Amino acid sequence: MHTTSLLLFEDDDLDARLITSALAKAAPQIQVRRAHDGTSGLKIMEEDRPGMVLLDLSMPGLSGFQVLETIREDDILARTPVIICSNSDAQSDIDESYSRQANAYVTKPDSGAGYASLAEALAGFWIETVQLPS
Amino acid sequence: MMTAEERSAYLNQEMLDSTLFGMLTAKPVYSDEGEVVDFEYLNANPALYRYHGVNPEDVIGKRMLDVFPDLRDHPTLQFYKDVAVSGNPAAFESEFVTRDLDAYMLVSITRTHAEFITISFVEVSETKRIMDALSRLNAFSASDMNLDDYIENVLSLGRKTFYATHAYRVHCQGDLCRTVSVSVAEEEVDSKDVLLPETISDQLMREGRIVSFRHVADDKTTKDRAEEIRPFLNFIGAPVSVSSEISGALAFCSNRPRARDYTDNELELAKTLGEAVAARIRLNGARLLLEQRNDDLKRFSTVVSHDLKAPMRHMKLLSELLMDRIKDDEEAQALGQEICDNAAEAQAMIKALRDFSELGDSGVTLEKVDLEALCGQCVSRYAEEIQACNAEVEFGRLPPVIADRILLGQVISNLLANALKYARSENLKITFDCETTMMGQSVYSITDNGPGIDARYAERVFELFRQLPGSKANGDGEGVGLAACRKIIDGLGGRIWLDTTYQSGARFCFTLPASN
């Protein structure tokens, strides 16, 4: 079983709580850290590189796009898989995220069952299936 | 009793003084070789001033070619000479062009006493010139040009019609109503702002009067400043009043005096031009307001659809969490489920609202659309529902249209879904058809044999989220379908309506602009 760390950029407490507990159930081996905003999240990334990032788009201060851009411009952080998890299902946001080299885009679920299946899908693919960078 | 001679003398003088015809008597001037080379005026009537801006006493005793040097090379000069020599009268229509006159004159020349000739003339072109100007004004008033272009067109039209060298739009800035800009000059484009003489602007802007003078020297109020106020040596101008306030004026003027006074017709035209510009400004204001309202509405729906999304999602999540805690309480469970369902319905409405506000945002691609095929596709998309209500779908003759395939498909789908949703009769029959009106326009229709829609709601059915009495909300973005149809068809330049004359069910009709 792989162990990895995931950094969650999420300003909303309810969303953070739900995704964290769903991930804890689906993939207990993942260590989840949470940043309340972009700036503090980027600081955590520099000190302690996470294996992957779950990034909200709409946050106070730096937007998700700005965070993504900063990650992709950094020589070392650039290779971190970033999955956008946003409230928005606007095609423009989805396109923009992939243009800025997000690895995946999911919209936030609107039910407990939705969170459970999202967490399982994330764990099943990003933890169990793919090879992650060093 | 007056003698015939006395009578005729009296009549002649009366006639001469009052007639609108210009009349002159002249005797030929001969060269050494005995050829007629010029004429000397013996008499003239006051109407001369009306056409040429000269008084009779200024021409009597003078040579014709000195008074009217333009006649020297004029083709009609020969007619005068011929009449003087042969005695055969001549009448002709002649274009008479000088710096500030481009007129058609009806001229009649007769030889009266011995060798004297009498010339009478009247301008026949002024009415035509004003009518031309009005019809051109009408033509470009009907077009969709922007305000600045429109005003430039009006200025150019007025300048040509009044034989002016300059045309200006006069702006009013606070108390100073004198700044002038947008000039349409005769030769080079001279868009320099100039100050409108105060006396003119006072009459125009404060008193709201039409102002005109043929020569500034005649205009007592501006006389002493004549030298300072080029190009205002002759002037005609009209105020532009928008909502009973004078917001500006049009000014047509020249850096030379004009031979004749402005006529009543010309004053009337100036007034009309000022009113046309005022009407355009009002129209433009209404359009800007409408555009702004549309932008506001768009922004509002974007904000609503984006910002309400998260709280609605949370409401649904929280009610779920709450229900997890109160599993034993059935009543509380039911209430929690209601919160959940309501939140879900609000989510659907928000999504529908956003989809509606974004309709057509990704651009419109006009192409020839095979409407029969498109309707066929829509019908097959609803195959399940059609089968469920045992409906029969029929097609009449559907000629191809020029439209956006995807958007038009949405219209057809929405109309079809609407018929399926509300019709609910035993043997539902839905018919797609097309009729051509007497004007040659194609009217497309979709008809069902269901309960129909009350004519009172013919317009309301197209409003966003409007629920009709008796219809049941199903939480699936209800009340958007027909609003979307109207938005799409309007956007494509067509029209969509409920045919209230159809009594055996509901019939929706739409038109699209004819292909070019």
Side-chain angles (χ1 to χ4, degrees):
Chain A
M1 191 184 268
H2 303 273
T3 59
T4 190
S5 60
L6 179 149
L7 178 62
L8 173 67
F9 285 78
E10 179 57 75
D11 61 307
D12 186 274
D13 288 339
L14 179 66
D15 287 338
R17 202 176 90 206
L18 289 168
I19 190 66
T20 307
S21 67
L23 279 170
K25 264 185 214 151
Q29 72 276 30
I30 304 182
Q31 299 165 0
V32 179
R33 282 190 76 177
R34 177 197 174 192
H36 286 77
D37 59 60
T39 313
S40 66
L42 287 170
K43 204 162 159 242
I44 294 173
M45 283 188 82
E46 269 166 35
E47 289 162 3
D48 177 22
R49 280 185 48 221
M52 54 192 290
V53 164
L54 204 54
L55 176 62
D56 187 14
L57 283 184
S58 148
M59 292 183 291
L62 290 182
S63 74
F65 290 137
Q66 288 169 310
V67 172
L68 181 56
E69 192 176 323
T70 311
I71 293 172
R72 292 302 180 231
E73 278 170 0
D74 184 289
D75 288 345
I76 299 160
L77 298 181
R79 61 177 90 134
T80 315
V82 175
I83 296 147
I84 305 292
C85 185
S86 165
N87 191 46
S88 163
D89 60 358
Q91 195 59 46
S92 56
D93 286 336
I94 297 169
D95 292 349
E96 176 88 33
S97 299
Y98 284 107
S99 294
R100 290 169 184 257
Q101 295 168 39
N103 295 78
Y105 189 109
V106 295
T107 49
K108 289 181 183 172
D110 63 357
S111 67
Y115 271 106
S117 74
L118 174 63
E120 275 159 28
L122 287 177
F125 186 69
W126 290 102
I127 310 297
E128 308 291 343
T129 312
V130 303
Q131 299 290 332
L132 292 174
S134 57
Chain B
M1 276 288 282
M2 272 191 283
T3 64
E5 239 170 83
E6 281 169 340
R7 262 204 319 271
S8 85
Y10 185 69
L11 190 64
N12 278 341
Q13 198 50 52
E14 279 282 281
M15 272 169 59
L16 280 176
D17 288 346
S18 65
T19 181
L20 288 176
F21 283 74
M23 300 189 84
L24 297 142
T25 318
K27 67 174 185 189
V29 175
Y30 296 96
S31 69
D32 292 345
E33 287 78 32
E35 258 182 74
V36 178
V37 288
D38 203 343
F39 292 88
E40 185 189 319
Y41 289 118
L42 301 171
N43 202 357
N45 76 337
L48 185 66
Y49 183 84
R50 175 184 165 91
Y51 297 108
H52 294 297
V54 279
N55 290 312
E57 53 269 29
D58 295 334
V59 303
I60 293 167
K62 297 239 171 71
R63 296 280 182 92
M64 185 163 89
L65 294 181
D66 290 338
V67 179
F68 300 112
D70 292 313
L71 269 179
R72 190 178 296 277
D73 300 317
H74 204 270
T76 58
L77 180 61
Q78 192 57 45
F79 296 155
Y80 294 82
K81 295 176 182 173
D82 289 349
V83 173
V85 173
S86 71
N88 296 326
F92 52 90
E93 206 171 283
S94 162
E95 192 179 12
F96 196 79
V97 186
T98 66
R99 282 183 320 190
D100 44 25
L101 182 68
D102 179 356
Y104 273 91
M105 296 286 191
L106 187 60
V107 184
S108 144
I109 312 169
T110 49
R111 198 169 74 175
T112 42
H113 297 93
E115 291 181 337
F116 300 165
I117 59 166
T118 297
I119 308 150
S120 60
F121 59 90
V122 67
E123 185 183 344
V124 289
S125 56
E126 198 217 349
T127 318
K128 188 177 174 301
R129 187 160 51 88
I130 303 289
M131 292 303 286
D132 276 356
L134 287 174
S135 80
R136 266 188 294 156
L137 176 68
N138 275 338
F140 65 69
S141 292
S143 87
D144 192 31
M145 64 179 72
N146 68 41
L147 182 62
D148 285 346
D149 287 349
Y150 184 81
I151 292 173
E152 204 165 297
N153 268 292
V154 170
L155 288 175
S156 169
L157 174 69
R159 190 189 62 67
K160 285 179 193 145
T161 311
F162 298 131
Y163 308 112
T165 55
H166 293 70
Y168 293 107
R169 177 184 184 187
V170 183
H171 285 289
C172 194
Q173 290 175 338
D175 276 350
L176 296 171
C177 307
R178 288 152 217 159
T179 318
V180 166
S181 69
V182 189
S183 154
V184 183
E186 191 171 39
E187 293 109 17
E188 72 230 54
V189 177
D190 170 19
S191 57
K192 253 194 331 213
D193 282 11
V194 290
L195 278 182
L196 189 65
E198 219 171 299
T199 44
I200 298 179
S201 72
D202 276 355
Q203 294 178 65
L204 263 182
M205 313 291 276
R206 297 240 161 83
E207 298 165 31
R209 283 175 31 206
I210 311 277
V211 179
S212 81
F213 49 83
R214 61 154 212 112
H215 191 321
V216 71
D218 297 349
D219 189 75
K220 290 183 185 67
T221 49
T222 45
K223 197 172 180 175
D224 44 329
R225 304 184 59 200
E227 280 316 299
E228 294 170 44
I229 57 168
R230 276 172 195 281
F232 300 101
L233 289 191
N234 87 62
F235 184 91
I236 182 165
V240 174
S241 320
V242 181
S243 51
S244 74
E245 212 171 88
I246 298 167
S247 66
L250 304 179
F252 307 94
C253 48
S254 297
N255 49 24
R256 57 184 183 231
R258 193 171 130 120
R260 7 175 242 163
D261 276 334
Y262 286 93
T263 63
D264 289 348
N265 280 338
E266 285 175 320
L267 296 176
E268 198 56 41
L269 178 67
K271 189 173 161 221
T272 305
L273 295 180
E275 286 167 354
V277 167
R280 197 67 168 201
I281 290 172
R282 275 194 296 273
L283 184 71
N284 198 53
R287 186 157 59 190
L288 287 180
L289 192 67
L290 192 65
E291 272 170 20
Q292 164 143 28
R293 289 257 166 91
N294 275 343
D295 284 352
D296 287 351
L297 192 64
K298 179 131 203 136
R299 209 160 23 249
F300 173 74
S301 61
T302 306
V303 166
V304 164
S305 61
H306 282 104
D307 294 4
L308 278 186
K309 242 181 125 209
M312 280 303 154
R313 198 169 52 81
H314 282 178
M315 193 197 279
K316 193 157 171 277
L317 285 166
L318 288 165
S319 60
E320 261 187 32
L321 289 175
L322 183 68
M323 281 156 73
D324 278 349
R325 299 275 178 92
I326 46 169
K327 280 197 168 116
D328 306 335
D329 186 338
E330 264 183 43
E331 205 175 324
Q333 279 283 322
L335 292 171
Q337 189 58 49
E338 256 193 56
I339 297 175
C340 219
D341 292 348
N342 272 288
E345 192 180 324
Q347 277 180 313
M349 284 177 79
I350 290 165
K351 186 175 182 324
L353 177 65
R354 199 193 57 199
D355 289 349
F356 177 80
S357 76
E358 285 175 358
L359 265 183
D361 276 6
S362 51
V364 172
T365 315
L366 292 182
E367 57 183 322
K368 191 171 174 179
V369 178
D370 180 345
L371 199 56
E372 266 173 43
L374 188 66
C375 288
Q377 285 164 18
C378 295
V379 166
S380 58
R381 212 174 299 146
Y382 282 90
E384 226 174 275
E385 288 88 340
I386 289 170
Q387 209 171 10
C389 30
N390 199 20
E392 189 187 330
V393 183
E394 276 186 1
F395 296 95
R397 185 192 63 93
L398 297 172
V401 288
I402 303 290
D404 181 293
R405 184 187 302 276
I406 294 168
L407 291 175
L408 187 58
Q410 201 168 334
V411 171
I412 308 282
S413 289
N414 289 357
L415 290 174
L416 181 61
N418 208 64
L420 287 167
K421 199 188 298 171
Y422 292 104
R424 312 245 152 128
S425 76
E426 285 291 300
N427 300 302
L428 176 60
K429 202 169 137 188
I430 297 170
T431 312
F432 291 93
D433 206 354
C434 175
E435 273 178 33
T436 307
T437 64
M438 289 201 308
M439 306 295 282
Q441 191 176 36
S442 295
V443 178
Y444 301 90
S445 64
I446 172 169
T447 310
D448 65 52
N449 60 346
I453 299 170
D454 193 315
R456 280 179 297 171
Y457 306 118
E459 273 309 301
R460 261 188 259 172
V461 291
F462 292 105
E463 288 174 12
L464 192 61
F465 294 134
R466 173 67 77 175
Q467 305 269 339
L468 296 185
S471 74
K472 236 177 82 184
N474 64 7
D476 190 18
E478 186 88 11
V480 178
L482 290 175
C485 288
R486 173 154 280 178
K487 188 173 174 186
I488 292 170
I489 296 288
D490 281 357
L492 291 173
R495 213 164 67 76
I496 184 167
W497 68 97
L498 175 74
D499 182 359
T500 51
T501 61
Y502 189 75
Q503 299 291 331
S504 330
R507 172 178 282 171
F508 285 93
C509 299
F510 67 87
T511 59
L512 287 167
S515 54
N516 295 319

